[in-house]
Structure formats: structure tokens, C-alpha cells
Amino acid sequence: MAETKREIERKYESDDSGLPDLTGVPGVAAVLDKGVAELDATYYDTADARLSAASLTLRRRTGGSDEGWHLKFPVAPGVRDEIRAPLSDTLPRALAGLIRSHVRDAEVAPVVRLRSARDVRDLVDAEGRLLAEVSVDAVRADRLTADGGSAQWTEIEVELADGGDPDFLDKVDKRLRKAGVRPSRSASKLARALAETEPKGKKKSRPKARQDGKPTAAASASATPVTAGDHVLAYLRAQRDAIVQLDPAVRRDLPDSVHRMRVATRRTRSAFRSYAKVLDRAATDPIGEELKWLAGELGVDRDQEVLTDRLTAALDALPRPLVTGPVRNRLRTWARARSGGSRRRLIAVLDGKRYLALLDTLDRLVDEPPLLTAAAGAPQKVLAKAVRKDFGQVAALVEEALSQPPGADRDLALHDARKKAKRTRYSAETAAPALGGPAAELVRLMKSLQSLLGDHQDSVMTREALRDLAAQAHAAGESTFTYGVLYAREERRAELAEAALPQAWETIGAAMEV
């Protein structure tokens, strides 16, 4: 069973003089000698260093209090999430899944072995509470390849206690610097080991890498966008990267990860449609269909969760006298029955061949894009034309919706306008680096329009759900009064959104004419 630990630590380079006296650090009442632990860790990666390219660390370690398999994800400078699994001979399935979007079908194999003699000290306060663990590590690194080398060094590592105040590390840092200890030039032991054990004669610099770690043309990955095609590809590359990077977060069920991954698929599809003059639709349309499938799989439980949360919040806001019958139980039963997916189903999708093939296809798309003639054009012309076209379509849909009387047809027209506003927002996002302020302003305007129309569409969907709930309650002989009250409130919310639309649209129109 894997567990997660948030590591907040700092590393320092040290000679063999040992650890400076830390009793003078503010808040430290005692420095407790915890003895020396012998650690033996083997680090794994693919032959083309895909995990290293993604700043991920996978190791199998024996010795110490936390021996086992460890997978580390960067969170911020000096902060990592370490996923731990029990010691075993082979890579645990839980960790294998977390690296799958990066390694795909490639094999992970031993790359470096690090053996450390870790001399540990605990910094504790006056009440004996642990503030931080400080260790002096004497490290030997061996590259596990025929032409690899070895290296030795000593470093100091300061790791904050669980739940500790990160500012405490600044106090320790001040004391260490005063004693002449320097911050490490390497982000991790593995990074230093890879650098210092690299085979002789091999260039120290590493090639640019895609999110799956495979080498790609340095110019396409790092050059400043110049043409319209450059800007579109930069946007698509960012969305591809987001999908790959969010995969482990979705598997870990981190907050908002499913939604963000789904948004990345939508942004990619929108770019395909908006910039059809830049990228050949014969190539992008099939990919768009696969992205639509993935978004649907990601949304199986997400849409139901959002709707349930909205109904629960609306019910909580009702005065108690207006709640009659077993409404909350009915809502819970209804939500469970309508939940068409599960964590197990979603993980199966992410482990499936169809999804992994889609990731490979996205890699090929950004590395070998099907560019059309317009891709070589000036972004101020090509991108601006595409954005104006998208905005014109939004305008037509909003005007059509406003011309219709309230009812199902208007609801549908407003929903279509919302989807087009979202697409226009995404196309403006793509163009913003090239077009500057005007595109950024359009992003803001479309986001506000999308929010307004989204409130209306949410009300439409919520009222449909309330009719379903009321029918079930009636069939069971329960009171339907509360569902009617909630329906009326949702109807009012939709009316307010519709009433606000003409003025909002007039403001947007005026801004676009400036």
C-alpha cells in the first residue's frame, strides 16, 4: 500500500569537517544524536532518461527507517511529494502507474547506485518536539553501466519535521552559512550522481526532452515563437505537457486534477478547430476525436460530482421549514445511482492502450506537426484573423439567443454560445503572446461571458435533475415540496443570468470596438 509524505528540505555541500554546532539556532533546545544509518539505494530510469527529463526520481532503498520503493514528484523548490511503497523485488504496480504517462511502454532499469553513511541529528524544542532532522551523508555513487564512473562526496541535508514551520529552515540556513556551509549546487543526490559519474568523453549537457523524455529538436522546444505556427505549437505543447504531468495527479486523486486535465484536452481540441489554417485537419481531426473520448472518460464522475455539490449547497441554503421529507437521503441515493464511473474505471482508462497511443500521437503532432502554408505567416495576421472569426461566431450565437423567447430553444442557443465563448477564449490565449493586450483583454471578456452563460447552463442541468428527483420522490410516496422550492430558485437564477446578458454583451461589444 503506497503512502505519501511531503518533504520540505534543503541540501548543503560540506567538506569533511562535519556538522556545525546548531544549538544556537533560535527555537532549538537540544541536538540529539540518533546514530549512523547505512543506506543503499538503486535509482531507476529508462534508457533515454525519461524520468530524469521530467524531474522525477524513482528508487529502491534498503536501510534506515523508511526502506522501500520511493517515487518523488517536485512540488516547488525544496519541496517534493514522496510516494512510498513497501520493499519488494520488483517495482510496485502503484508506482508503475504513476510514471506510466512518462515512460509509456519503455522499461525502467537500474541507473545509479548510491550508498550513504547517514549521521543523523534531531533538532528539538524545549518540549522535546522534533523541529527538523539534520543529517551528514557520506555518499558513494556508482553508475550502473559498463562505461559509467564513480564519485564520492559529503553533504548536509536538513529536512523539516512533519507539520513544521518552513521558516524554521531559514534559521538553520543562517547558522550553516555563518559556519561556512554552502547550499548544494545540485537539486538532489541523483542529479549530482548523474553529473559526476557520466561516462568520460560524453557531453555534460543533456538534450532537450519531450514530456515522455524522448529527445526532440532543441529549436522546436526552446526557440522564441516567430511564426503563427510557432505560437500554435507552443500552445499545443503546453497542453500536451499538462496532460502528461497531470496524469499522476489524477491517479492520486489530487484536488482539481481531473478538471485541469479535462481542460487541457478541451484547449487542444479548440486549438485544432480555431487554427485549421495552420494545422492540417486531416491529421488533427482524428486526434480531436480521441481527445473528446478522453474528456468524456474524465468527466464521467466529474459532471455528476459538480451537479451533486450544487444541489447539496442549494439544499443547505434553504430554511429548515422548507425542507420536508427525506430529501438528503434521496439526493445521496440519486447521486450514487447516477455515478457512471469509478476510480477503478478511470485508472483502467489511463492504463489502457488507447490512452497511451493518444499520448504518443500528441508527441508526434508537436514534434512533426502537419503545418499548412499559413503556419509560416506573421502571427499578427494569421492568429488575429482566426481569433476574429471565433469572436464573430460567438457574436452571432449570442444575438440569436437574445432574439428568442425564454424556453428550451433559447437555453440551447445560450449553451452553444457558451461553448463558442470558451473556444474563443482558448484561441485568444494562444494568440496572446503574439498579439499582447488586445488578445489578453479578449480572454478576460470571454471568461466573464463563459461564467455568466455557465451559470445559466448549470441552472438548466440542475432543474432537469430536480425534476428527476421529484419524480422518484413522488413514486416513493414522499413529499415533493422541497424539490419544487429548489426548482423555483434555480429558475430565478436562470432568469437573472438571462437578464444580465444584454448589458454584459453590450459591454463586451463596446470593448471589442475600441
Side-chain angles (χ1 to χ4, degrees), residues 209-263:
R210 324 191 295 209
Q211 277 304 308
D212 66 358
K214 296 179 182 177
T216 185
S220 67
S222 61
T224 300
V226 175
T227 66
D230 290 337
H231 282 277
V232 173
L233 287 175
Y235 187 78
L236 290 174
R237 190 173 292 111
Q239 305 318 311
R240 184 280 312 273
D241 292 354
I243 293 171
V244 172
Q245 292 166 358
L246 284 165
D247 176 296
V250 170
R251 293 172 185 268
R252 294 168 60 195
D253 201 20
L254 296 185
D256 208 35
S257 58
V258 170
H259 173 66
R260 290 165 57 205
M261 189 173 182
R262 196 179 182 195
V263 167

Side-chain angles (χ1 to χ4, degrees), residues 55-382:
S55 299
L56 302 182
T57 302
L58 175 65
R59 74 185 178 198
R60 180 185 184 274
R61 189 167 78 182
T62 58
S65 61
D66 62 345
E67 68 176 11
W69 287 88
H70 305 154
L71 175 60
K72 299 189 179 189
F73 290 91
V75 176
V79 182
R80 294 185 293 182
D81 277 347
E82 182 178 270
I83 317 298
R84 298 175 176 177
L87 192 64
S88 61
D89 292 335
T90 58
L91 178 63
R93 287 185 61 186
L95 301 193
L98 293 175
I99 62 174
R100 186 160 288 117
S101 66
H102 293 279
V103 305
R104 314 288 166 80
D105 293 326
E107 180 184 359
V108 293
V111 177
V112 170
R113 183 184 183 188
L114 295 183
R115 284 168 284 184
S116 305
R118 169 164 289 182
D119 190 359
V120 181
R121 305 285 193 280
D122 280 354
L123 306 185
V124 299
D125 63 13
E127 297 181 7
R129 290 186 298 244
L130 180 65
L131 299 173
E133 180 184 278
V134 182
S135 62
V136 180
D137 294 344
V139 184
R140 174 184 172 86
D142 295 293
R143 175 84 68 141
L144 302 177
T145 57
D147 54 355
S150 299
Q152 296 185 61
W153 70 89
T154 300
E155 70 177 38
I156 294 174
E157 182 178 292
V158 184
E159 182 175 344
L160 189 69
D162 292 345
D165 182 358
D167 289 342
F168 176 71
L169 295 183
D170 292 335
K171 300 174 183 178
V172 179
D173 179 84
K174 184 177 180 179
R175 177 69 185 90
L176 290 174
R177 288 173 184 262
K178 189 175 181 179
V181 177
R182 307 173 305 279
S184 177
R185 289 169 292 182
S186 298
S188 66
K189 287 185 178 68
L190 176 61
R192 183 167 181 173
L194 290 173
E196 296 192 13
T197 65
E198 195 148 29
K200 293 181 179 180
K202 191 173 181 179
K203 292 183 179 180
K204 295 296 182 182
S205 60
R206 296 184 179 276
K208 294 287 182 180
R210 324 191 295 209
Q211 277 304 308
D212 66 358
K214 296 179 182 177
T216 185
S220 67
S222 61
T224 300
V226 175
T227 66
D230 290 337
H231 282 277
V232 173
L233 287 175
Y235 187 78
L236 290 174
R237 190 173 292 111
Q239 305 318 311
R240 184 280 312 273
D241 292 354
I243 293 171
V244 172
Q245 292 166 358
L246 284 165
D247 176 296
V250 170
R251 293 172 185 268
R252 294 168 60 195
D253 201 20
L254 296 185
D256 208 35
S257 58
V258 170
H259 173 66
R260 290 165 57 205
M261 189 173 182
R262 196 179 182 195
V263 167
T265 69
R266 289 170 170 169
R267 284 187 163 120
T268 305
R269 292 178 62 221
S270 290
F272 289 165
R273 294 193 294 269
S274 295
Y275 296 103
K277 298 293 185 181
V278 174
L279 294 170
D280 188 353
R281 289 194 61 172
T284 60
D285 279 357
I287 304 175
E289 286 302 310
E290 288 302 281
L291 288 166
K292 183 178 180 180
W293 159 77
L294 177 58
E297 294 291 348
L298 291 167
V300 166
D301 280 340
R302 168 70 183 178
D303 290 342
Q304 179 61 34
E305 179 184 344
V306 171
L307 184 55
T308 301
D309 288 346
R310 183 180 175 98
L311 284 166
T312 301
L315 186 58
D316 290 342
L318 282 183
R320 184 170 299 179
L322 297 184
V323 181
T324 62
V327 181
R328 294 187 188 280
N329 288 338
R330 172 65 57 190
L331 177 57
R332 283 193 291 267
T333 301
W334 172 86
R336 285 195 296 267
R338 285 174 57 94
S339 181
S342 65
R343 290 290 305 159
R344 183 175 298 176
R345 171 188 168 88
L346 182 54
I347 299 305
V349 167
L350 298 182
D351 285 341
K353 292 182 179 180
R354 183 175 181 180
Y355 167 70
L356 296 178
L358 172 57
L359 296 184
D360 288 340
T361 302
L362 289 172
D363 288 339
R364 289 192 295 272
L365 175 79
V366 297
D367 289 343
E368 303 170 8
L371 298 175
L372 299 176
T373 303
Q380 292 78 4
K381 180 179 179 180
V382 177

Side-chain angles (χ1 to χ4, degrees), residues 475-490:
E478 300 165 2
S479 171
T480 60
F481 172 79
T482 299
Y483 305 107
V485 172
L486 292 173
Y487 188 97
R489 289 193 169 198
E490 285 294 340

Side-chain angles (χ1 to χ4, degrees), residues 420-475:
K420 192 65 69 175
K422 188 183 300 183
R423 173 172 155 183
T424 304
R425 171 189 166 190
Y426 295 156
S427 66
E429 284 178 352
T430 308
L435 305 184
E441 175 64 4
L442 182 57
V443 171
R444 186 188 69 81
L445 293 171
M446 290 298 97
K447 189 174 182 179
S448 65
L449 178 62
Q450 179 186 331
S451 178
L452 179 62
L453 295 176
D455 286 343
H456 182 275
Q457 177 62 17
D458 287 346
S459 176
V460 172
M461 299 302 295
T462 304
R463 279 178 281 157
E464 289 183 4
L466 286 168
R467 283 195 292 268
D468 185 19
L469 282 162
Q472 292 182 25
H474 178 74

Side-chain angles (χ1 to χ4, degrees), residues 384-397:
K385 183 178 180 180
V387 173
R388 284 195 299 269
K389 180 180 178 181
D390 280 344
F391 180 75
Q393 292 173 341
V394 173
L397 287 170

